[in-house]
Every structure is written in C-alpha cells, then in structure tokens.
Amino acid sequence: GNSITFSTTSTTFTVFAPNAGDWRETETFAAEEAAKLWIENKLGLATAYEINVATSGEGTVSPLGRTMVAAGGSFVLNVGADITKLYDNGVDVTASIDLGDRYTLATMAADHDIVAVFTE
C-alpha cells in the first residue's frame, strides 16, 4: 500500500531492511514539536533526548508521558504540592523540586525516565 508515483518517468527502487530489523519506526507524541524533534533526531539532523514521565498513585504531573528535548535545552515538570517522591533515572530527586512545585532539567545531555509517586 505504500508507493511513490512520478508523473513524468518511471523509476525502479530496491528497498532493503535496515540492520536493526524493523523496516519502519512509529511513535506517538502529544505535541507536534516533540514529534518533529524525534524525526530530526532519527535522521541525524538534530540531537535530542527522550523524557518519559509516569506516575504511581493518585496525583497529576504535567507534562505526562513522552516528550523530546533538544540537546542543551531544558525541561520543566510541574508536579503539584501533593507529591510524595520523585525519581529521575532511579535516583530520588524530591529535594530538587522548587517552591513553585517544579522539577527542572537544564542543559539536556541524556535520556530521562521520571516517576512521580503519590501516596495517601
């Protein structure tokens, strides 16, 4: 079902599977900017890092889910005052939450898996 049609000449292509195995990669992002950055990163046009944010328990953080941040850029997570613990790549970073209930990553240089824990 995937094809390319040229209106002036016919062209023959040979398609090879990539060394990684899958012939395509798909991802879903809430923000168009993150999706664009993911594509540019895959094409080698930009360097970007992935941030995955999840929660445990009843509470909210923003943004939740997956996003991309350009190398050297920053990321701000709004956590709310009712958070119990915050882990970044398995390290307790609860003490790094500022008075505005934000956790900030500055000068991005690596992927981050963040988990916000809420207990009653």
Side-chain angles (χ1 to χ4, degrees):
N2 296 331
S3 63
I4 299 172
T5 303
F6 296 99
S7 60
T8 57
T9 58
S10 63
T11 304
T12 302
F13 293 96
T14 303
V15 178
F16 298 95
N19 292 337
D22 292 337
W23 66 275
R24 70 176 177 174
E25 291 186 49
T26 60
E27 298 296 334
T28 303
F29 293 92
E32 181 179 340
E33 180 180 306
K36 183 177 182 276
L37 194 53
W38 181 82
I39 292 168
E40 289 173 350
N41 189 57
K42 289 291 183 182
L43 294 174
L45 301 174
T47 301
Y49 298 99
E50 183 177 312
I51 301 174
N52 292 302
V53 179
T55 60
S56 175
E58 298 293 323
T60 59
V61 297
S62 176
L64 181 63
R66 188 167 159 205
T67 193
M68 299 292 290
V69 177
S74 63
F75 173 79
V76 176
L77 180 68
N78 298 296
V79 297
D82 57 340
I83 191 167
T84 305
K85 290 282 185 183
L86 185 67
Y87 295 95
D88 184 351
N89 290 341
V91 176
D92 184 349
V93 294
T94 309
S96 297
I97 298 171
D98 68 18
L99 295 176
D101 296 325
R102 293 178 305 258
Y103 174 63
T104 302
L105 296 170
T107 318
M108 292 294 298
D111 295 334
H112 289 262
D113 288 310
I114 300 172
V115 178
V117 179
F118 298 90
T119 57
E120 295 180 27

